[in-house]
Amino acid sequence: MTALTTKELVRLVIDGNPMAVGRAISILADRRAGALELLGELYRYEIKGKVIGITGAPGAGKSTLVDSLIKAYRAQGRRVGVVAVDPSSPFTGGAILGDRLRMQRHATDPDVFVRSLASRGELGGLGPATAEAARVLGLAGFDPVLIETVGVGQAEIEVMGVADLVLLLVVPGNGDEVQCLKAGIMEIGDLFVVNKADRDGADRLMGEIESLLRLAGRGDEVSARIRRTVATTGDGVTELIDGLDALYCAYESDGNLARRRRSHQARQIKAHLVRELTLRFFDFDEKTQFLSRAVDSLSAGEGDPVTLGRAIIDEFVRWSQGEEDGAKSETHA
Amino acid sequence: MRRIRILIAKPGLDGHDRGAKFVARALRDAGAEVIYTGIRQSPKAIAHAAVQEDVDFVGLSCLSGAHNRLFPEVIELLKEMGAGHMVVFGGGIIPHKDWPFLESAGISRIFGPGATVDEMVGMITKMAPDGSRLQPPAE
C-alpha cells in the first residue's frame, strides 16, 4: 500500500478496494505525506452520489437508525458508505469510536463501508476529514454516504456544510419539544424524524414539529418533511428512504442541490483558509513571541486585547511581506 | 506525527466484555483512537472492520478458550486483505502453554490476567508505526 503512487491509489479506490479506501481516508485525515496530491486527484472527479447527514442528541438512536437504513438500502441493491464521527477527549486527545458496534452485522458485506472518525478537537466540530472521507467513499461508488455526527452543539451546524440533506433525529419524552425551538435547529434539518415512535408522546412531538414548520411558513412542506421510525424494528425506515429520495429529487430540480453544493465548497475553502492562516500565524508567533509580549503588556495594565491584537496582525502582515520579498530576491540571485 | 488507531474486538461466542471495554477506555486515556466492535464477532467481521478503519493495532479478547482457532484466523484474513502490517495482540484467558503457538501464528503479544495497562501502553509505544504516537504533540 505504501509503494503506490497517488494515481494508483485513486484507481484502487475507484475499484472499491477496501484497503485502498481505508488508507486514502487515513492519508487525508492525518494529512500524511501525499495528502494534498491525493486531495487534488480526488477533486478531478465529479462525485454524483448523495451525502446524507444524520444528527440529533445522544441517545436519539442515530447509530441504530443508520444500521436500519443500511439494511433497507441494501435491500434495494444500493451500496452504502458511512462516516461515523465521535468526539475526541479534550484532555488526552484519544477517543472511543463506538458507532460501528451497532452496524456490525453489515461488516462482511462488500457493499457497505463504515469508517469511524474522531472529531480531533477541531474548532467547530467536524474538521475537513469528514467531508474528505465522504468524497473518498463517493468515489468508491457508495451512494448514499451517510454521515453520523456527534449531535451536540457545533457538529449539527457543521454537518450542513458537508451533506446534501440533513436528517434531524428527535425522540419523544426527551424534552425534544423544547429542543426543537432552539435557535437554528429547525433550519438545520431537511427531514425531521421522530424515532422511538412507539413511545408515549410520539404523536405530540410530531404535532409540535408540524406546528413549528407552519409557524415558519413551511406548512405546505409538512408531509414531505416529517417521518416517524422505530429504528430497532425497522418500522418506518422504508418510508424514510422514500422521503429522502423524494426530497433529493426535488432539490435537484429546483436548484437547491446546486446552491447547497456551492455553499459547501465555499465553506470548505474558507475553513482551509482560516486553518492555514492560523497555522502560519502561529509559526510566525513561535519565532517572534509577539503574543507573549502582548500578554505581558496587558498583565502590566497597558493596552487592551483589541488594540494589542491588531498590532500583532500588522506585524504578521509586515513579516509575511518580508518573507515573500526575501523569497523573491532569492530567486533573482 | 499522527494518532494511533486501535481496534478492540471479541471473536467467537464469548460474551464477557468487561475486560475488553476496560482496555478500550485505558487506551483512549493513553491517547489512542479506539474502535470497539462489541461481542460475538466473526474473524471475517473483525478483519473487514480493521481494514475499513485502517487501524495500526488489533486487540483480540477471548475468555472462552477458542483463541487457538480464532486468533490465527483473524491474522490470516488480515494478510489476505493486504493488512498484514497490522500488529495483532491478544488478551483474556489464554493459558501460557498456548502462547508459543499463538506467537508463531503472528500474535505479537499476549496480555493475560494481571497484565497492566502500562505494559500494554509500553508495547504500543514500542511497536507504533513510523510517524505515529499515542499522544502526538499538539499543532
Side-chain angles (χ1 to χ4, degrees):
Chain A
M1 198 56 51
T2 39
L4 292 174
T5 64
T6 302
K7 280 200 177 352
E8 282 167 350
L9 180 63
V10 171
R11 254 272 68 84
L12 285 171
V13 167
I14 293 172
D15 288 344
N17 177 300
M19 195 65 224
V21 174
R23 181 50 55 88
I25 294 174
S26 300
I27 290 173
L28 294 170
D30 296 334
R31 285 293 187 262
R32 297 186 195 182
L36 292 184
E37 200 191 326
L38 177 58
L39 202 59
E41 196 57 33
L42 284 181
Y43 269 88
R44 289 182 52 229
Y45 297 85
E46 193 198 339
I47 314 286
K48 295 212 197 293
K50 61 172 76 67
V51 180
I52 299 172
I54 293 162
T55 191
K62 294 185 291 295
S63 297
T64 311
L65 183 64
V66 169
D67 175 56
S68 259
L69 281 168
I70 296 172
K71 182 173 175 213
Y73 277 119
R74 289 297 298 124
Q76 294 180 4
R78 294 154 87 165
R79 306 182 68 222
V80 185
V82 178
V83 182
V85 187
D86 270 322
S88 301
S89 157
F91 307 108
T92 67
I96 299 267
L97 309 176
D99 293 329
R100 89 171 290 139
L101 191 148
R102 299 211 202 289
M103 312 167 201
Q104 268 299 90
R105 62 170 158 164
H106 306 285
T108 57
D109 184 343
D111 293 317
V112 177
F113 195 107
V114 176
R115 176 62 175 241
S116 312
L117 291 178
S119 65
R120 292 190 177 170
E122 281 285 337
L123 323 153
L126 284 187
T130 309
E132 289 165 5
R135 180 165 273 270
V136 173
L137 291 175
L139 188 62
F142 294 96
D143 176 17
V145 173
L146 309 175
I147 301 184
E148 185 190 332
T149 67
V150 177
V152 283
Q154 274 296 92
E156 288 153 328
I157 313 285
E158 287 299 316
V159 80
M160 279 187 85
V162 180
D164 296 322
L165 287 174
V166 176
L167 192 159
L168 179 65
L169 207 61
V170 290
V171 285
N174 254 23
D176 273 327
E177 299 84 355
V178 174
Q179 293 289 320
C180 284
L181 286 168
K182 276 195 186 163
I185 283 281
M186 292 308 284
E187 281 89 350
I188 289 168
D190 292 289
L191 205 69
F192 302 91
V193 181
V194 173
N195 192 32
K196 306 192 189 182
D198 50 346
R199 274 197 194 169
D200 276 341
D203 288 329
R204 203 179 69 203
L205 184 52
M206 285 187 77
E208 297 271 350
I209 298 170
E210 200 175 310
S211 302
L212 285 166
L213 279 172
R214 287 189 196 285
L215 266 171
R218 294 161 69 190
D220 53 340
E221 299 174 23
V222 161
S223 59
R225 300 220 179 249
I226 308 178
R227 290 288 180 277
R228 61 195 297 153
T229 56
V230 180
T232 45
T233 62
D235 192 25
V237 173
T238 319
E239 289 82 356
L240 173 56
I241 290 182
D242 291 342
L244 286 165
D245 286 340
L247 258 179
Y248 187 81
C249 274
Y251 284 3
E252 264 182 319
S253 44
D254 66 18
N256 223 330
L257 185 67
R259 262 194 299 274
R260 228 166 245 231
R261 287 192 172 169
R262 197 186 149 79
S263 141
H264 292 174
Q265 283 152 357
R267 268 174 174 262
Q268 281 164 31
I269 295 178
K270 186 173 151 191
H272 279 292
L273 213 145
V274 170
R275 198 162 188 267
E276 187 63 32
L277 261 172
T278 310
L279 286 172
R280 284 192 201 184
F281 171 78
F282 282 113
D283 199 41
F284 150 80
D285 189 63
E286 206 184 297
K287 298 185 173 92
T288 58
Q289 297 296 310
F290 272 108
L291 193 57
S292 176
R293 283 187 256 165
V295 173
D296 290 340
S297 292
L298 201 57
S299 302
E302 288 167 28
D304 67 82
V306 176
T307 315
L308 287 166
R310 282 188 177 166
I312 297 176
I313 295 285
D314 288 340
E315 291 297 333
F316 174 53
V317 171
R318 225 167 283 148
W319 176 82
S320 299
Q321 193 59 48
E323 291 280 294
E324 203 186 302
D325 291 344
K328 276 196 193 131
S329 61
E330 268 168 35
T331 52
H332 285 152
Chain B
M1 196 50 62
R2 62 170 181 87
R3 255 174 221 285
I4 289 170
R5 283 168 65 93
I6 304 174
L7 188 84
I8 301 290
K10 288 191 64 65
L13 299 172
D14 159 36
H16 298 87
D17 57 358
R18 183 175 299 194
K21 284 179 176 169
F22 173 81
V23 167
R25 281 195 302 269
L27 294 177
R28 173 205 55 199
D29 291 343
E33 288 173 357
V34 183
I35 294 113
Y36 175 61
T37 51
I39 59 174
R40 304 218 173 93
Q41 298 297 300
S42 67
K44 202 170 164 210
I46 293 170
H48 280 234
V51 164
Q52 290 177 8
E53 301 290 354
D54 194 18
V55 292
D56 304 301
F57 293 84
V58 177
L60 300 175
S61 158
C62 184
L63 284 78
S64 67
H67 48 272
N68 280 340
R69 189 175 57 77
L70 296 171
F71 288 13
E73 203 178 322
V74 172
I75 291 185
E76 280 317 302
L77 287 165
L78 286 172
K79 284 187 187 149
E80 272 170 39
M81 295 182 79
H85 62 280
M86 291 180 185
V87 175
V88 184
F89 61 97
I93 301 293
I94 301 169
H96 276 97
K97 67 171 171 58
D98 292 340
W99 289 25
F101 165 71
L102 289 172
E103 271 154 29
S104 69
I107 300 285
S108 297
R109 268 291 285 279
I110 295 165
F111 298 98
T116 64
V117 170
D118 281 347
E119 283 167 6
M120 211 172 279
V121 169
M123 186 242 357
I124 288 170
T125 305
K126 195 163 146 224
M127 301 191 73
D130 284 339
S132 73
R133 255 180 74 179
L134 274 172
Q135 299 231 14
E139 237 163 44

